[in-house]
Amino acid sequence: DSRFVGRAVSSTGLALEFTNPGQRANRDLVLAAVRSAPGSLRHASGGLRGDRAFVLEAISHSPCELQHAWEQLREDKEFTISAVRVSADALEFASDRCRRDPEVVLAAVRRDGAALRHACREARESRKVVLTAVRASPSALAH
């Protein structure tokens, strides 16, 4: 019964893995899973993992969900900028190409300077990036 599945997934999001394909395509059920257990997006339908708005909402609950989005989204610079604006820690799960992109890194460190720790070495050595990170969070110098 759908109420039982909803309670199970809300209690432990990883239960989503054992649901049927229709349930893995249910937006509310998948969000309940993400809230309960970060990383649950990996068990969602491909349609949800490729849905820009849905993935951004999932990232707002757990930045690690970016790693479970469709590869096309993870490689999309504009989408990744949107993701790090939702949660700067999503930079950790961005594609290597996006983690090297100065615009993406700047968007992340503007949100939270500590995101500097997830940037590539070149970005961490960029004066502009470091100054932006320190303005947002003085503790960013530790990274």
Side-chain angles (χ1 to χ4, degrees):
D1 129 344
S2 63
R3 287 180 302 187
F4 172 77
V5 171
R7 284 192 303 273
V9 168
S10 293
S11 175
T12 177
L14 297 178
L16 186 64
E17 178 180 6
F18 305 104
T19 62
N20 68 48
Q23 292 165 324
R24 282 179 263 153
N26 181 299
R27 297 172 98 74
D28 294 331
L29 192 63
V30 174
L31 278 178
V34 166
R35 282 188 217 100
S36 173
S40 295
L41 186 63
R42 73 175 154 251
H43 302 300
S45 70
L48 288 180
R49 290 184 297 113
D51 181 311
R52 290 173 173 273
F54 184 79
V55 173
L56 288 175
E57 188 170 354
I59 288 168
S60 75
H61 297 287
S62 174
C64 76
E65 301 306 342
L66 180 57
Q67 69 185 323
H68 303 299
W70 274 7
E71 190 66 25
Q72 295 92 327
L73 285 183
R74 292 184 65 239
E75 289 291 334
D76 183 297
K77 175 181 171 176
E78 294 308 316
F79 177 78
T80 303
I81 288 172
S82 296
V84 300
R85 286 180 176 157
V86 168
S87 174
D89 284 335
L91 184 62
E92 178 180 3
F93 306 101
S95 69
D96 289 340
R97 185 177 64 79
C98 286
R99 290 176 60 229
R100 286 191 305 270
D101 188 291
E103 287 180 68
V104 173
V105 175
L106 282 169
V109 299
R110 280 186 188 111
R111 174 95 164 87
D112 180 358
L116 186 62
R117 71 183 175 272
H118 303 305
C120 70
R121 183 178 49 80
E122 295 84 10
R124 289 192 312 269
E125 293 173 353
S126 162
R127 178 177 173 82
K128 182 177 182 179
V129 169
V130 171
L131 288 175
T132 301
V134 170
R135 279 189 208 107
S137 176
S139 64
L141 278 178
H143 305 288

